[in-house]
Amino acid sequence: MTINQTAPRFKLLLLLMVLLVFSACRTRKNTNVNTTASRAAVVMSHLKSKPLHRFINDWTGVRYRLGGMDKRGIDCSGFAFLLQKNIYGNELPRRSSDQASVIRTKSVGQLKEGDLIFFSFGGRSVDHVGVYLNDNFFVHASTTRGVVVDDLSLPAYQRAMVKAGSIRN
């Protein structure tokens, strides 16, 4: 082969190598997206109480059932009732409105792991309860998603929150 015959092959090989290098360096999709789920996972990993962590993991995904108190279905006040009893040894009334009457009120900035948060989605009276975790996240039995860890700073929760605090001893 002469130099004139190998030059096109060399150029083609060089072009393929350059394309290969650039395709390997292409921009990747950002995998560090700050989603609510990823932030919730971080919050869970920072819980001080390992029994609380296990309890939440064990109940996560259990469907909502009004009046429910077991893995076949649970409502928000039943979940708070069982969590407080099993993790902290606290006795609570069964209904969320009654639970709200036995807490010492705190501001959101004062909340500690295990404190209760009360909401009113249907009017002025308390009709929902969750348990504060940390970093503005709480766990509750959602009517649509079952037991989940949620972000308290979401507008729907901010609008509906009516009271928060710790159980009076």
Side-chain angles (χ1 to χ4, degrees), residues 18 20 26 31 34 39 47 56 61 77 79 92 96 116 121 128 130-131 135-136 146 151 161:
V18 168
L20 183 62
R26 70 184 166 94
T31 56
N34 195 14
R39 289 185 6 248
L47 290 176
I56 294 169
S77 59
F79 181 75
L92 273 180
S96 60
L116 298 174
F121 289 103
H128 191 68
V131 179
D135 201 25
N136 239 13
D151 186 347
M161 189 172 65

Side-chain angles (χ1 to χ4, degrees), residues 1-9:
M1 271 188 197
T2 65
I3 292 181
N4 287 342
Q5 291 175 327
T6 58
R9 285 186 183 169

Side-chain angles (χ1 to χ4, degrees), residues 31-50:
T31 56
N32 293 327
V33 176
N34 195 14
T35 64
T36 298
S38 66
R39 289 185 6 248
V42 170
V43 163
M44 287 290 291
S45 72
H46 288 105
L47 290 176
K48 293 175 187 162
S49 169
K50 295 308 169 198

Side-chain angles (χ1 to χ4, degrees), residues 144-160:
T144 57
R145 295 172 291 137
V147 176
V148 294
V149 174
D150 260 331
D151 186 347
L152 186 59
S153 64
L154 292 173
Y157 296 126
Q158 289 293 302
R159 284 190 301 270

Side-chain angles (χ1 to χ4, degrees), residues 44 46-56 87-88 113-114 134:
M44 287 290 291
H46 288 105
L47 290 176
K48 293 175 187 162
S49 169
K50 295 308 169 198
L52 176 60
H53 187 278
R54 284 190 297 275
F55 186 89
I56 294 169
I87 303 305
Y88 300 107
E113 186 176 296
N134 60 54

